[in-house]
Short mmCIF file of all heavy atoms in Angstrom, two decimals:
data_model
loop_
_atom_site.label_atom_id
_atom_site.label_comp_id
_atom_site.label_asym_id
_atom_site.label_seq_id
_atom_site.Cartn_x
_atom_site.Cartn_y
_atom_site.Cartn_z
N PRO C 57 22.15 31.90 -5.68
CA PRO C 57 22.12 31.45 -7.07
C PRO C 57 20.87 30.65 -7.44
O PRO C 57 20.51 29.71 -6.75
CB PRO C 57 23.36 30.57 -7.20
CG PRO C 57 23.82 30.29 -5.82
CD PRO C 57 23.31 31.37 -4.94
N VAL C 84 30.52 24.87 -11.56
CA VAL C 84 30.89 25.13 -10.17
C VAL C 84 32.30 24.60 -9.94
O VAL C 84 32.66 23.56 -10.49
CB VAL C 84 29.88 24.42 -9.22
CG1 VAL C 84 30.30 24.52 -7.77
CG2 VAL C 84 28.47 25.01 -9.41
N ARG C 85 33.07 25.30 -9.14
CA ARG C 85 34.37 24.78 -8.69
C ARG C 85 34.27 24.55 -7.19
O ARG C 85 33.53 25.26 -6.49
CB ARG C 85 35.49 25.79 -8.99
CG ARG C 85 35.69 26.05 -10.48
CD ARG C 85 36.28 24.83 -11.20
NE ARG C 85 36.31 25.01 -12.64
CZ ARG C 85 35.36 24.56 -13.47
NH1 ARG C 85 34.30 23.93 -13.01
NH2 ARG C 85 35.47 24.74 -14.76
N ALA C 86 35.04 23.59 -6.72
CA ALA C 86 35.04 23.28 -5.29
C ALA C 86 36.47 23.41 -4.76
O ALA C 86 37.38 22.80 -5.31
CB ALA C 86 34.52 21.86 -5.07
N MET C 95 33.39 20.59 -10.06
CA MET C 95 32.30 20.01 -9.26
C MET C 95 31.05 20.03 -10.13
O MET C 95 30.83 21.04 -10.81
CB MET C 95 32.10 20.86 -8.00
CG MET C 95 31.20 20.28 -6.96
SD MET C 95 32.03 18.87 -6.26
CE MET C 95 30.92 18.29 -5.07
N PHE C 133 22.72 10.81 4.57
CA PHE C 133 23.62 11.51 3.64
C PHE C 133 25.01 10.85 3.69
O PHE C 133 25.62 10.58 2.66
CB PHE C 133 23.70 12.98 4.06
CG PHE C 133 24.54 13.83 3.16
CD1 PHE C 133 23.94 14.62 2.19
CD2 PHE C 133 25.92 13.86 3.28
CE1 PHE C 133 24.72 15.42 1.35
CE2 PHE C 133 26.70 14.64 2.45
CZ PHE C 133 26.09 15.43 1.48
N TYR C 146 34.48 11.58 0.09
CA TYR C 146 33.36 12.03 0.93
C TYR C 146 33.82 13.08 1.94
O TYR C 146 33.22 14.15 2.06
CB TYR C 146 32.72 10.82 1.65
CG TYR C 146 31.75 11.24 2.71
CD1 TYR C 146 30.47 11.68 2.37
CD2 TYR C 146 32.12 11.26 4.05
CE1 TYR C 146 29.59 12.13 3.34
CE2 TYR C 146 31.24 11.71 5.03
CZ TYR C 146 29.99 12.14 4.67
OH TYR C 146 29.13 12.60 5.62
N PHE C 149 35.02 16.50 0.03
CA PHE C 149 34.10 17.35 -0.74
C PHE C 149 32.70 17.49 -0.12
O PHE C 149 32.02 18.47 -0.40
CB PHE C 149 33.97 16.81 -2.18
CG PHE C 149 35.23 16.98 -2.96
CD1 PHE C 149 36.17 15.96 -3.02
CD2 PHE C 149 35.51 18.17 -3.61
CE1 PHE C 149 37.36 16.12 -3.72
CE2 PHE C 149 36.68 18.35 -4.32
CZ PHE C 149 37.61 17.32 -4.37
N PHE C 150 32.29 16.52 0.66
CA PHE C 150 30.90 16.54 1.13
C PHE C 150 30.74 16.81 2.63
O PHE C 150 29.83 17.52 3.03
CB PHE C 150 30.20 15.21 0.80
CG PHE C 150 30.06 14.93 -0.67
CD1 PHE C 150 30.21 13.65 -1.17
CD2 PHE C 150 29.76 15.96 -1.56
CE1 PHE C 150 30.08 13.39 -2.54
CE2 PHE C 150 29.62 15.71 -2.93
CZ PHE C 150 29.78 14.42 -3.41
N ALA C 151 31.61 16.19 3.45
CA ALA C 151 31.35 16.21 4.90
C ALA C 151 31.38 17.64 5.46
O ALA C 151 30.44 18.08 6.14
CB ALA C 151 32.34 15.32 5.62
N GLY C 152 32.45 18.40 5.15
CA GLY C 152 32.61 19.74 5.72
C GLY C 152 31.56 20.71 5.18
O GLY C 152 30.92 21.45 5.93
N TYR C 153 31.39 20.68 3.87
CA TYR C 153 30.42 21.59 3.23
C TYR C 153 29.03 21.34 3.81
O TYR C 153 28.29 22.27 4.14
CB TYR C 153 30.41 21.35 1.72
CG TYR C 153 29.55 22.32 0.93
CD1 TYR C 153 30.10 23.43 0.30
CD2 TYR C 153 28.17 22.13 0.82
CE1 TYR C 153 29.31 24.32 -0.42
CE2 TYR C 153 27.37 23.01 0.12
CZ TYR C 153 27.94 24.11 -0.50
OH TYR C 153 27.14 24.98 -1.20
N THR C 154 28.70 20.07 3.93
CA THR C 154 27.34 19.72 4.36
C THR C 154 27.11 20.08 5.82
O THR C 154 26.03 20.54 6.19
CB THR C 154 27.12 18.21 4.08
OG1 THR C 154 27.22 18.04 2.67
CG2 THR C 154 25.76 17.74 4.56
N ARG C 155 28.14 19.90 6.66
CA ARG C 155 28.00 20.31 8.07
C ARG C 155 27.76 21.82 8.16
O ARG C 155 26.93 22.28 8.92
CB ARG C 155 29.24 19.92 8.85
CG ARG C 155 28.92 19.00 10.01
CD ARG C 155 30.16 18.50 10.71
NE ARG C 155 30.39 17.10 10.40
CZ ARG C 155 31.51 16.60 9.91
NH1 ARG C 155 32.54 17.38 9.64
NH2 ARG C 155 31.60 15.32 9.67
N GLN C 157 26.50 23.74 5.76
CA GLN C 157 25.24 24.10 5.10
C GLN C 157 24.03 23.74 5.95
O GLN C 157 23.06 24.48 6.03
CB GLN C 157 25.18 23.38 3.74
CG GLN C 157 23.84 23.41 3.04
CD GLN C 157 23.47 24.80 2.53
OE1 GLN C 157 24.26 25.74 2.62
NE2 GLN C 157 22.27 24.94 2.04
N TRP C 158 24.09 22.57 6.60
CA TRP C 158 22.90 22.07 7.30
C TRP C 158 23.01 22.16 8.82
O TRP C 158 22.00 21.96 9.52
CB TRP C 158 22.59 20.63 6.86
CG TRP C 158 22.21 20.60 5.41
CD1 TRP C 158 23.02 20.35 4.34
CD2 TRP C 158 20.90 20.87 4.86
NE1 TRP C 158 22.31 20.45 3.17
CE2 TRP C 158 21.00 20.76 3.46
CE3 TRP C 158 19.65 21.19 5.43
CZ2 TRP C 158 19.92 20.97 2.60
CZ3 TRP C 158 18.58 21.39 4.57
CH2 TRP C 158 18.72 21.28 3.18
N LEU C 165 21.27 13.50 8.21
CA LEU C 165 20.55 14.05 7.04
C LEU C 165 20.09 12.94 6.10
O LEU C 165 20.73 11.89 6.02
CB LEU C 165 21.48 14.99 6.27
CG LEU C 165 21.81 16.30 6.96
CD1 LEU C 165 22.98 16.99 6.27
CD2 LEU C 165 20.59 17.23 6.96
N ILE C 169 19.47 14.29 -0.20
CA ILE C 169 20.16 15.58 -0.46
C ILE C 169 21.35 15.33 -1.40
O ILE C 169 21.59 16.08 -2.34
CB ILE C 169 20.61 16.24 0.85
CG1 ILE C 169 19.39 16.66 1.67
CG2 ILE C 169 21.51 17.44 0.58
CD1 ILE C 169 19.72 17.27 3.02
N LEU C 170 22.09 14.24 -1.14
CA LEU C 170 23.26 13.97 -1.98
C LEU C 170 22.86 13.49 -3.37
O LEU C 170 23.57 13.69 -4.35
CB LEU C 170 24.17 12.94 -1.28
CG LEU C 170 25.56 12.75 -1.89
CD1 LEU C 170 26.24 14.07 -2.17
CD2 LEU C 170 26.43 11.90 -0.99
N ARG C 172 21.01 14.78 -5.24
CA ARG C 172 20.89 15.92 -6.15
C ARG C 172 22.12 16.04 -7.07
O ARG C 172 22.03 16.64 -8.12
CB ARG C 172 20.76 17.23 -5.35
CG ARG C 172 19.47 17.38 -4.59
CD ARG C 172 19.52 18.63 -3.70
NE ARG C 172 19.78 19.86 -4.43
CZ ARG C 172 18.87 20.58 -5.07
NH1 ARG C 172 17.62 20.19 -5.07
NH2 ARG C 172 19.21 21.69 -5.68
N LEU C 173 23.27 15.54 -6.61
CA LEU C 173 24.51 15.78 -7.36
C LEU C 173 24.90 14.58 -8.22
O LEU C 173 24.93 13.46 -7.75
CB LEU C 173 25.67 16.05 -6.38
CG LEU C 173 25.50 17.21 -5.41
CD1 LEU C 173 26.76 17.38 -4.59
CD2 LEU C 173 25.20 18.50 -6.16
N TYR C 183 26.83 21.39 -14.20
CA TYR C 183 26.34 21.03 -12.85
C TYR C 183 25.06 20.21 -12.90
O TYR C 183 24.79 19.43 -12.01
CB TYR C 183 26.12 22.32 -12.05
CG TYR C 183 26.17 22.08 -10.55
CD1 TYR C 183 27.35 21.71 -9.92
CD2 TYR C 183 25.05 22.25 -9.76
CE1 TYR C 183 27.41 21.49 -8.56
CE2 TYR C 183 25.10 22.04 -8.39
CZ TYR C 183 26.29 21.65 -7.80
OH TYR C 183 26.33 21.44 -6.44
N PHE C 184 24.27 20.42 -13.95
CA PHE C 184 22.98 19.73 -14.03
C PHE C 184 22.92 18.83 -15.26
O PHE C 184 23.56 19.11 -16.27
CB PHE C 184 21.83 20.74 -14.10
CG PHE C 184 21.82 21.70 -12.93
CD1 PHE C 184 22.16 23.03 -13.11
CD2 PHE C 184 21.51 21.26 -11.66
CE1 PHE C 184 22.17 23.91 -12.04
CE2 PHE C 184 21.52 22.13 -10.58
CZ PHE C 184 21.85 23.46 -10.77
N LEU C 250 20.15 31.97 5.04
CA LEU C 250 21.47 32.33 4.52
C LEU C 250 21.75 33.80 4.79
O LEU C 250 20.83 34.63 4.73
CB LEU C 250 21.54 32.08 3.01
CG LEU C 250 21.30 30.64 2.53
CD1 LEU C 250 21.30 30.58 1.00
CD2 LEU C 250 22.33 29.68 3.10
N ASN C 268 32.51 26.60 -4.40
CA ASN C 268 32.18 26.02 -3.10
C ASN C 268 33.45 25.92 -2.25
O ASN C 268 34.50 25.56 -2.79
CB ASN C 268 31.62 24.61 -3.27
CG ASN C 268 30.25 24.61 -3.93
OD1 ASN C 268 29.63 25.64 -4.07
ND2 ASN C 268 29.80 23.44 -4.35
N TYR C 269 33.31 26.17 -0.97
CA TYR C 269 34.44 26.03 -0.05
C TYR C 269 34.14 24.85 0.86
O TYR C 269 33.34 24.96 1.78
CB TYR C 269 34.69 27.34 0.72
CG TYR C 269 35.32 28.36 -0.20
CD1 TYR C 269 34.55 29.08 -1.11
CD2 TYR C 269 36.70 28.55 -0.22
CE1 TYR C 269 35.13 29.96 -2.01
CE2 TYR C 269 37.30 29.43 -1.11
CZ TYR C 269 36.50 30.12 -2.00
OH TYR C 269 37.09 30.99 -2.90
N CYS C 270 34.75 23.71 0.54
CA CYS C 270 34.36 22.45 1.18
C CYS C 270 34.96 22.27 2.57
O CYS C 270 34.44 21.47 3.36
CB CYS C 270 34.74 21.28 0.29
SG CYS C 270 33.89 21.35 -1.31
N ARG C 278 30.00 29.11 0.15
CA ARG C 278 30.37 29.34 -1.25
C ARG C 278 30.47 30.83 -1.54
O ARG C 278 29.94 31.66 -0.78
CB ARG C 278 29.38 28.67 -2.20
CG ARG C 278 27.93 29.02 -1.98
CD ARG C 278 27.01 28.14 -2.86
NE ARG C 278 25.61 28.40 -2.55
CZ ARG C 278 24.58 27.77 -3.09
NH1 ARG C 278 24.79 26.83 -3.98
NH2 ARG C 278 23.34 28.06 -2.77
N GLU C 299 28.57 33.43 1.12
CA GLU C 299 27.31 32.88 1.62
C GLU C 299 27.55 32.07 2.91
O GLU C 299 28.40 31.18 2.93
CB GLU C 299 26.73 31.99 0.52
CG GLU C 299 25.40 31.38 0.84
CD GLU C 299 24.82 30.62 -0.37
OE1 GLU C 299 24.98 31.08 -1.53
OE2 GLU C 299 24.21 29.58 -0.15
N TYR C 312 16.02 26.72 3.32
CA TYR C 312 15.99 25.26 3.15
C TYR C 312 15.22 24.61 4.30
O TYR C 312 15.62 24.78 5.46
CB TYR C 312 17.40 24.68 3.15
CG TYR C 312 18.31 25.20 2.07
CD1 TYR C 312 19.06 26.36 2.26
CD2 TYR C 312 18.45 24.52 0.87
CE1 TYR C 312 19.92 26.84 1.28
CE2 TYR C 312 19.31 24.99 -0.12
CZ TYR C 312 20.04 26.15 0.10
OH TYR C 312 20.89 26.61 -0.87
N TYR C 347 12.17 20.79 -0.04
CA TYR C 347 13.32 21.37 -0.75
C TYR C 347 13.01 21.22 -2.24
O TYR C 347 13.19 20.14 -2.80
CB TYR C 347 14.54 20.56 -0.33
CG TYR C 347 15.92 20.96 -0.81
CD1 TYR C 347 16.17 22.06 -1.63
CD2 TYR C 347 17.03 20.22 -0.41
CE1 TYR C 347 17.46 22.39 -2.02
CE2 TYR C 347 18.32 20.53 -0.80
CZ TYR C 347 18.52 21.61 -1.60
OH TYR C 347 19.81 21.91 -2.00
N ASP C 349 13.22 22.51 -6.30
CA ASP C 349 13.81 23.35 -7.34
C ASP C 349 12.71 24.15 -8.03
O ASP C 349 11.54 23.78 -7.97
CB ASP C 349 14.53 22.47 -8.37
CG ASP C 349 15.85 21.92 -7.82
OD1 ASP C 349 16.41 22.55 -6.91
OD2 ASP C 349 16.30 20.86 -8.29
N1 UDP H 401 27.24 19.44 -1.39
C1 UDP H 401 28.48 19.19 -0.84
N2 UDP H 401 29.59 19.74 -1.43
C2 UDP H 401 29.51 20.52 -2.53
C3 UDP H 401 28.24 20.77 -3.09
C4 UDP H 401 27.13 20.22 -2.49
O1 UDP H 401 28.59 18.52 0.18
O2 UDP H 401 30.57 20.99 -3.01
C5 UDP H 401 26.05 18.84 -0.73
C6 UDP H 401 25.47 19.76 0.34
O3 UDP H 401 24.95 18.96 1.39
C7 UDP H 401 24.34 20.46 -0.40
C8 UDP H 401 23.84 19.35 -1.32
O4 UDP H 401 25.02 18.63 -1.68
O5 UDP H 401 23.34 20.93 0.48
C9 UDP H 401 23.08 19.81 -2.54
O6 UDP H 401 23.89 20.69 -3.29
P1 UDP H 401 23.27 21.76 -4.30
O7 UDP H 401 24.41 22.39 -5.03
O8 UDP H 401 22.22 21.09 -5.09
O9 UDP H 401 22.63 22.79 -3.26
P2 UDP H 401 21.83 24.20 -3.47
O10 UDP H 401 22.45 24.92 -4.63
O11 UDP H 401 20.39 23.83 -3.65
O12 UDP H 401 22.09 24.89 -2.16
#
Side-chain angles (χ1 to χ4, degrees):
V84 173
R85 297 290 173 265
M95 190 69 179
F133 183 99
Y146 169 77
F149 291 93
F150 296 142
Y153 185 98
T154 297
R155 238 174 253 126
Q157 169 70 5
W158 295 95
L165 290 166
I169 294 177
L170 191 47
R172 291 173 57 83
L173 302 184
Y183 203 67
F184 303 109
L250 300 176
N268 291 349
Y269 286 79
C270 298
R278 53 188 175 183
E299 182 174 324
Y312 300 87
Y347 184 1
D349 286 335

